[in-house]
Amino acid sequence: MKYALINPLWSFEGSTYFGCREPHFPLELLSARNFLRKAGHEVLLLDAWMLEISIEECKAALDAFQEDFLVIPSAPSYLFWRCPQPELRLVREWILGLDRPSQTVVIGPHGSVTPRATMDKTGCDIVLRGEPDETLPQLANMPWELIPGCCWRDPSGSFRISPGLGTVDMSALQTLDYSDYPVERHLHKHHIFPGNGADHLTRGAEVEFARGCPYSCTFCNKTLFRNKYRERSLSSVLSEIDQLIGRGVDYIYFIDEIFGVGKQVRTLLEEISQRPVSIGFQSRVDLWDEQSLDLLAKAHCVSFECGVESLTEAGRDAMNKNCRLSTDRIGELLIYARQRIPWVQANLIKTPEDDPTTVATWQARLKAEGVWVSEPVPMFPFPGSPEYVSTFGAQPDDQAWERAHDYYLNLFNRSFSDIQEQQPKPLRELECVSC
């Protein structure tokens, strides 16, 4: 069978999306390509975002390829599946614009939680819930009712959904193949900010060392994919890093939900310390101590982002952070890290347990030591997160994204986070359902 994997040319005008708007490697498609090739299928991967190519140019390539399945993600890169844009406007535009005779498959966070609504909004034929890397090949040769998380409409038009979710055996994910991917176009260095100790770096890349997280924070949108913690083989990851270094990459951002948990992390850092590459990632500061922070510095870490969320134990407990450190110890470790790493960031969430004056005092103390501390802002209650269920008192239904979006817009009186559109549109207008 022939599979075409398309990463659209994303845009987020009018959206509440607060992820990075620069192109990143479509790791979910590169990973799926590995599994598809291993199963004997022919694959065309087109990254329209990285190549800046239009729907018409993609359509010409598909006309020459003649795929059986067309696969499109509903959010850009695994890196942002936990905080996707709520709207599906662009996915719908690409499916309609490509106008293929093949079976159209949508993967990603939207279909994982609201598969029927995703099918109706985008016009696709199939939705795969969960991680699609290993379930995509099964579409070609297995009864769909036996494929975990497969959703489709039968000849009568009835919506069908198979039980379970796609979950990848990460030990089977071998080194990703970048031999025909435009690595050299990826000049963006994720979470690197000019003038903060990393201006010497020239080319960035993203790598996945592990998937999932052993914690169950209420705000995290990961329960339907990338949930259980799993590591890749160290040799596959190092081989991938060496391949990227050979293509001129000198900065790698690990997209892991939480970097620093696994048993192989220390070995990985020792190996990286011997290579001409710097690293960045997101983590929790309570996973580190002075000794391991020293190792991070030795491994050329230049960007260390930590979710602190609340400055009170009550606030952290309310979000089920399961943090064992006091706020004073958290501050000590962040300052110790900043003395060794050029960019150290602490993220806060607006909670009723945190006094604004206390927050301002803590921010000022950490900023005086060079640690960047975010302003506490409300979180979007992503469908698929425990926060959604506790906020609305029910599991997500077909209107879950509209409900969460309306709720989120009403949380702000005057302005939004400085990394968001300041005048986001209502979701129904963004998706232009009546058009």
Side-chain angles (χ1 to χ4, degrees):
M1 287 284 193
K2 290 185 175 181
Y3 285 73
L5 314 179
I6 305 294
N7 191 29
L9 183 58
W10 293 97
S11 69
F12 306 99
E13 184 180 355
S15 178
T16 56
Y17 179 67
F18 51 80
C20 179
R21 300 188 178 206
E22 296 288 335
H24 301 79
F25 290 172
L27 293 177
E28 70 285 353
L29 300 184
L30 288 158
S31 171
R33 185 172 68 171
N34 266 20
F35 287 102
L36 286 164
R37 284 175 170 172
K38 186 177 180 181
H41 300 295
E42 191 175 348
V43 184
L44 171 69
L45 193 159
L46 279 176
D47 188 345
W49 203 14
M50 193 68 73
L51 293 170
E52 298 181 273
I53 57 178
S54 66
I55 292 176
E56 290 71 25
E57 290 169 299
C58 275
K59 189 172 183 179
L62 294 174
D63 285 342
F65 183 66
Q66 292 295 307
E67 81 285 356
D68 298 293
F69 293 99
L70 173 69
V71 181
I72 297 184
S74 69
S77 168
Y78 263 148
L79 176 56
F80 302 112
W81 277 32
R82 286 183 300 143
C83 56
Q85 82 292 348
E87 70 277 8
L88 287 168
R89 169 194 58 193
L90 188 131
V91 179
R92 176 171 174 261
E93 287 176 359
W94 274 71
I95 289 176
L96 288 174
L98 290 171
D99 190 23
R100 303 304 299 169
S102 55
Q103 299 265 31
T104 306
V105 186
V106 167
I107 60 174
H110 301 79
S112 292
V113 65
T114 53
R116 182 164 47 197
T118 299
M119 192 174 289
D120 291 342
K121 288 179 179 180
T122 64
C124 70
D125 301 304
I126 303 163
V127 166
L128 289 179
R129 303 177 69 220
E131 300 164 18
D133 319 38
E134 292 185 295
T135 51
L136 275 170
Q138 296 171 349
L139 288 173
N141 53 20
M142 278 182 62
W144 290 356
E145 57 268 28
L146 299 181
I147 301 175
C150 186
C151 311
W152 72 101
R153 290 194 185 279
D154 64 21
S156 71
S158 298
F159 180 74
R160 302 283 301 277
I161 180 169
S162 66
L165 297 164
T167 305
V168 173
D169 173 7
M170 292 300 285
S171 65
L173 177 55
Q174 300 175 346
T175 302
L176 299 186
D177 178 12
Y178 285 98
S179 60
D180 60 351
Y181 184 84
V183 172
E184 289 73 13
R185 292 183 65 91
H186 189 8
L187 299 178
H188 171 64
K189 299 175 287 293
H190 187 66
H191 219 261
I192 291 291
F193 305 99
N196 287 283
D199 291 345
H200 60 289
L201 301 174
T202 59
R203 182 167 297 145
E206 292 86 41
V207 170
E208 184 178 33
F209 172 60
R211 194 175 293 185
C213 175
Y215 295 94
S216 302
C217 303
T218 58
F219 52 84
C220 192
N221 181 35
K222 68 172 180 64
T223 57
L224 300 173
F225 44 82
R226 306 179 64 86
N227 194 15
K228 180 183 177 184
Y229 184 80
R230 293 147 288 159
E231 287 184 1
R232 296 174 66 189
S233 83
L234 189 58
S235 61
S236 293
V237 175
L238 290 172
S239 173
E240 196 168 303
I241 290 173
D242 289 338
Q243 181 187 181
L244 292 167
I245 291 173
R247 297 284 293 274
V249 168
D250 57 4
Y251 172 71
I252 284 172
Y253 186 85
F254 287 101
I255 72 155
D256 306 21
E257 277 73 16
I258 184 167
F259 186 87
V261 172
K263 296 177 180 177
Q264 301 184 95
V265 169
R266 303 301 189 264
T267 307
L268 173 67
L269 292 174
E270 291 285 359
E271 289 285 345
I272 290 173
S273 73
Q274 301 172 36
R275 289 167 164 79
V277 67
S278 297
I279 62 170
F281 57 85
Q282 190 175 56
S283 184
R284 296 168 52 122
V285 73
D286 56 339
L287 296 177
W288 305 88
D289 57 19
E290 284 79 358
Q291 184 180 20
S292 55
L293 290 171
D294 287 342
L295 178 56
L296 276 184
K298 181 182 172 185
H300 323 127
C301 179
V302 293
S303 182
F304 180 59
E305 180 185 7
C306 294
V308 174
E309 327 308 358
S310 170
L311 299 184
T312 63
E313 290 188 20
R316 294 191 289 271
D317 288 346
M319 288 182 272
N320 201 29
K321 284 282 290 184
N322 195 23
C323 177
R324 294 165 296 175
L325 301 185
S326 68
T327 303
D328 286 344
R329 178 59 175 159
I330 289 172
E332 286 177 7
L333 287 172
L334 288 168
I335 292 169
Y336 187 90
R338 178 60 187 87
Q339 291 166 350
R340 289 151 181 80
I341 298 170
W343 181 264
V344 175
Q345 176 172 332
N347 295 330
L348 300 178
I349 294 175
K350 191 171 186 177
T351 73
E353 288 82 5
D354 285 12
D355 171 61
T357 302
T358 303
V359 171
T361 301
W362 195 82
Q363 283 178 312
R365 185 169 74 85
L366 272 290
K367 286 181 178 179
E369 299 289 344
V371 178
W372 191 89
V373 184
S374 76
E375 291 298 321
V377 294
M379 285 297 294
F380 191 102
F382 285 103
S385 70
E387 184 72 20
Y388 178 92
V389 178
S390 64
T391 300
F392 301 108
Q395 295 295 325
D397 58 14
D398 287 347
Q399 291 297 306
W401 291 95
E402 285 77 5
R403 188 176 298 111
H405 196 267
D406 289 344
Y407 174 85
Y408 183 70
L409 293 187
N410 288 327
L411 289 175
F412 294 85
N413 293 324
R414 286 175 293 181
S415 62
F416 290 81
S417 164
D418 55 5
I419 56 175
Q420 289 180 290
E421 293 268 2
Q422 292 305 299
Q423 293 183 322
K425 298 177 181 177
L427 186 54
R428 291 169 183 81
E429 182 178 344
L430 271 176
E431 294 190 319
C432 195
V433 172
S434 61
C435 296

